[in-house]
Amino acid sequence: MSGSLRPAPLVFFDALGWFSLAGGEAAPMSDLITHERSSAILTLRLNRPDKLNALNDEMTAALVAGLEAAATDSRVRVIVLAGTGRGFSAGQDLEAFVKMKQTPGPVSVADHLRRGYNVVARRIREIEKPVIASLNGIAAGVGLSLALCCDVRIAADDAQLTLGFSKIGLIPDGGGSLMLPALVGLGRALELAWTSDRIGAVEALAIGLVNRVVPTDRLAEETAAYAARFAEMSPIALGLTKRAFNRSVIPNFVQWLEEEAVVQDLAANGPDLLEGVRSFLEKRKPAFATP
Ligand code: T3D
């Protein structure tokens, strides 16, 4: 079933970048995030397959709205994040990023994070329902970070995971600099962040980056069957377990998102970001600055 569960709430951002919703007002649901509900399971699907589901501002706002709808709809007990087409997400749309940087009075990267990816990351962690990332093909950049913010990751055996940030002069953001070491330990996290090596599903499973690996042609069915187990359990117990683990393992998550944005701004204000992005789009090696 496609379409929204109910009219999408309007999303506003305050000075700190947190969103609020206009009560009762309806906005057209963006096609960039589709909603599919099957009994108690809501799948929010990144839907920009011609761009490897690279995220732009409209898509990010639609994802926030989708998560908010899922959080407040008592029919929804489990949320699945998935991608349309040959991958989960290639991360920030780098062409859109260059355009954003070229507009007069460009928004800072820290503010861009505060208004967008940090809201998504915070929402995923705050929703007291299981949020499952269903990963096929590529998950890169903040696409991977958001998957790491989810509670469980199910990977197709064709999944390829890469941070990618270091290749364009950035640090992992969208909660990635906290969730990655929390999941795989400091040493492996630094290795993955610094090298931006692509790792396959089997290696990701071995290091704890994903929870399970399933055949690619069965990803949707296996994810649905897995989610259905949670849909039959006590939503109160599952929700409070998430609250308890949030508080025990990542109690400073929201504060860290802000600190991460500040550190990312330091990286973004140096010369390497635009060189990294341009070299990627021009399909050449970057010439990074010497400090
Ligand atoms: O302000 C802020 O909020 C900053 C926050 C940033 C958050 C981030 O996510 S930063 C990281 C952004 N993402 C990346 O740097 C990943 C860049 N892409 C890649 O490294 C590779 O494309 C992939 C590993 C994702 C996939 O590799 P592959 O070999 O399967 O595909 P490809 O040939 O590289 O890409 C296919 C096409 O998609 C290609 O376009 P073309 O040549 O067919 O016209 C490529 O340019 C395009 N593409 C891939 N990733 C992006 C993209 N276009 C725009 N943005 C992308 N992120």
Side-chain angles (χ1 to χ4, degrees):
M1 187 181 77
S2 198
S4 59
L5 294 175
R6 62 183 174 79
L10 284 175
V11 181
F12 295 107
F13 297 100
D14 65 18
L16 289 174
W18 304 127
F19 71 92
S20 58
L21 302 158
E25 289 184 72
M29 184 62 77
S30 168
D31 290 341
L32 296 178
I33 300 290
T34 63
H35 296 204
E36 302 148 29
R37 190 167 66 81
S38 171
S39 74
I41 303 164
L42 176 70
T43 300
L44 298 175
R45 201 174 283 281
L46 282 63
N47 186 36
R48 221 179 155 218
D50 53 323
K51 296 282 180 189
L52 281 175
N53 297 322
L55 290 143
N56 60 20
D57 291 353
E58 180 189 344
M59 197 168 177
T60 307
L63 186 51
V64 172
L67 289 165
E68 181 58 26
T72 54
D73 188 332
S74 59
R75 294 171 302 175
V76 174
R77 290 187 173 200
V78 186
I79 300 149
V80 173
L81 284 193
T84 305
R86 72 178 181 94
F88 179 73
S89 173
Q92 165 67 38
D93 181 332
L94 294 175
E95 286 173 1
F97 181 83
V98 169
K99 278 191 197 136
M100 181 180 89
K101 282 297 181 198
Q102 285 168 344
T103 53
V107 68
S108 73
V109 164
D111 279 340
H112 194 237
L113 290 170
R114 291 180 184 117
R115 293 175 193 183
Y117 300 127
N118 288 3
V119 185
V120 179
R122 182 179 176 174
R123 207 73 198 101
I124 291 171
R125 294 296 339 136
E126 284 179 346
I127 293 176
E128 293 188 345
K129 303 178 182 185
V131 183
I132 300 171
S134 183
L135 305 173
N136 72 305
I138 199 76
V142 77
L144 178 55
S145 295
L146 296 180
L148 298 182
C149 290
C150 293
D151 302 310
V152 174
R153 283 149 294 285
I154 301 179
D157 53 19
D158 76 343
Q160 299 266 307
L161 313 182
T162 172
L163 271 299
F165 296 92
S166 62
K167 290 190 172 173
I168 56 169
L170 291 180
I171 69 157
D173 59 22
S177 66
L178 179 55
M179 296 308 291
L180 182 68
L183 287 165
V184 302
L186 186 57
R188 282 203 170 102
L190 275 171
E191 185 181 29
L192 289 171
W194 278 341
T195 63
S196 287
D197 281 349
R198 280 194 213 194
I199 64 166
V202 172
E203 186 179 351
L205 180 66
I207 65 172
L209 204 55
V210 302
N211 297 69
R212 50 185 61 209
V213 177
V214 300
T216 298
D217 60 359
R218 292 198 44 78
L219 179 64
E221 292 89 335
E222 297 283 348
T223 302
Y226 187 81
R229 288 178 60 190
F230 292 136
E232 288 174 1
M233 299 178 77
S234 156
I236 296 171
L238 297 185
L240 290 177
T241 303
K242 182 166 174 177
R243 186 188 300 181
F245 284 19
N246 277 344
R247 290 187 185 174
S248 66
V249 180
I250 47 171
N252 60 341
F253 186 73
V254 172
Q255 179 196 338
W256 180 253
L257 288 175
E258 174 56 25
E259 292 191 32
E260 186 186 69
V262 170
V263 178
Q264 187 68 292
D265 227 25
L266 291 177
N269 288 337
D272 287 343
L273 172 58
L274 279 183
E275 167 59 11
V277 171
R278 285 196 180 118
S279 67
F280 172 75
L281 295 174
E282 291 164 12
K283 301 184 192 297
R284 61 171 171 80
K285 278 194 170 175
F288 288 131
T290 310

